[in-house]
């Protein structure tokens, strides 16, 4: 989903309501649906920064205070970061896009799981990894098969539409697998 566009106006990605207090600011943060989809998927370099109301995701991931100089950027690993990676609309939407790509690229489940793992971690999964991912996929698939509203809620997260050519239950389950893999240290840390 990452937009390759260089330059232009600052991007205003997803942000929870109420972060910018209208009594303290002359700016209003646009509603997610009022902006083009690719504006939500630009590099963080282009994210609009307001000094007295930083974007929550940037704050969670140790974005520096804009009023201070730092010789070294702070680095942390907190539960809030994991919760953001699991639940923030920007990430859930990306997991769904990764799941869609995986489901379109291969027919067999084990091939799909192996491809997803390789794209996310840049490594080949062991047979035990595939077993764990298959079991998780089957559990999620059963949960979504019995709850159409839960499936629909997951697939409607974000501003990009889900691929209508894919089975919604398979897409929802594979989205959860993508989230599981992307939240593993092998995926988000380059060693």
């Amino acid at each position: 989903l990452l937009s390759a566009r260089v330059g232009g106006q600052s991007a205003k990605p997803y942000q929870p309501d109420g972060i910018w207090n209208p009594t303290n600011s002359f700016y209003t943060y646009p509603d997610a649906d009022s902006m083009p989809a690719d504006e939500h998927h630009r590099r963080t370099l282009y994210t609009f920064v307001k000094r007295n109301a930083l974007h929550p995701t940037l704050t969670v991931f140790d974005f520096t205070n804009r009023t201070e100089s730092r010789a070294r950027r702070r680095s942390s690993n907190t539960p809030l970061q994991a919760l953001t990676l699991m639940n923030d609309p920007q990430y859930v939407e990306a997991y769904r896009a990764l799941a869609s790509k995986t489901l379109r690229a291969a027919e067999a489940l084990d091939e799909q799981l192996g491809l997803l793992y390789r794209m996310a971690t840049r490594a080949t999964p062991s047979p035990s990894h595939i077993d764990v991912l298959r079991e998780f996929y089957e559990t999620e698939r059963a949960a979504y098969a019995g709850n159409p509203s839960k499936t629909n809620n997951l697939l409607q997260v974000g501003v990009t539409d889900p691929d209508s050519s894919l089975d919604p239950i398979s897409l929802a389950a594979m989205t959860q697998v993508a989230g599981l893999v992307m939240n593993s240290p092998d995926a988000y840390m380059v060693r």
Side-chain angles (χ1 to χ4, degrees):
L1 293 176
L2 184 64
S3 171
R5 186 165 60 97
V6 176
Q9 294 287 333
S10 295
K12 295 180 178 169
Y14 302 105
Q15 178 168 294
D17 291 334
I19 298 297
W20 288 12
N21 183 348
T23 60
N24 296 341
S25 175
F26 297 109
Y27 299 106
T28 57
Y29 204 85
D31 184 44
D33 295 331
S34 69
M35 297 174 44
D38 68 333
E39 284 298 309
H40 294 283
H41 306 117
R42 296 196 62 210
R43 294 191 178 278
T44 308
L45 168 74
Y46 299 110
T47 298
F48 184 84
V49 174
K50 188 167 188 274
R51 284 182 287 196
N52 62 348
L54 290 177
H55 192 281
T57 301
L58 294 177
T59 304
V60 167
F61 288 103
D62 304 320
F63 190 73
T64 58
N65 184 343
R66 304 294 291 184
T67 61
E68 300 172 359
S69 295
R70 297 219 178 214
R72 187 175 314 167
R73 184 174 175 185
R74 193 182 90 197
S75 178
S76 66
N77 185 0
T78 69
L80 279 178
Q81 292 170 347
L83 288 170
T84 299
L85 288 173
M86 288 174 18
N87 300 312
D88 189 271
Q90 188 170 4
Y91 296 102
V92 173
E93 189 175 18
Y95 302 153
R96 188 180 67 231
L98 180 59
S100 296
K101 185 175 182 178
T102 300
L103 290 170
R104 285 191 305 268
E107 290 292 322
L109 178 59
D110 284 2
E111 290 176 21
Q112 293 168 346
L113 295 171
L115 177 62
L116 189 146
Y117 189 89
R118 281 193 309 277
M119 285 192 293
T121 66
R122 301 155 310 275
T124 302
S126 68
S128 64
H129 283 121
I130 295 294
D131 291 342
V132 169
L133 294 176
R134 186 184 324 105
E135 182 180 338
F136 182 71
Y137 173 83
E138 295 297 343
T139 302
E140 290 298 308
R141 185 167 170 70
Y144 283 109
N147 194 340
S149 65
K150 182 179 176 183
T151 304
N152 189 47
N153 287 343
L154 178 66
L155 297 182
Q156 296 307 314
V157 170
V159 294
T160 57
D161 294 326
D163 187 341
S164 60
S165 68
L166 299 172
D167 172 44
I169 295 168
S170 297
L171 180 56
M174 194 61 77
T175 298
Q176 294 294 31
V177 173
L180 175 74
V181 173
M182 289 300 296
N183 278 285
S184 69
D186 292 337
Y188 63 78
M189 295 183 76
V190 178
R191 298 172 199 231

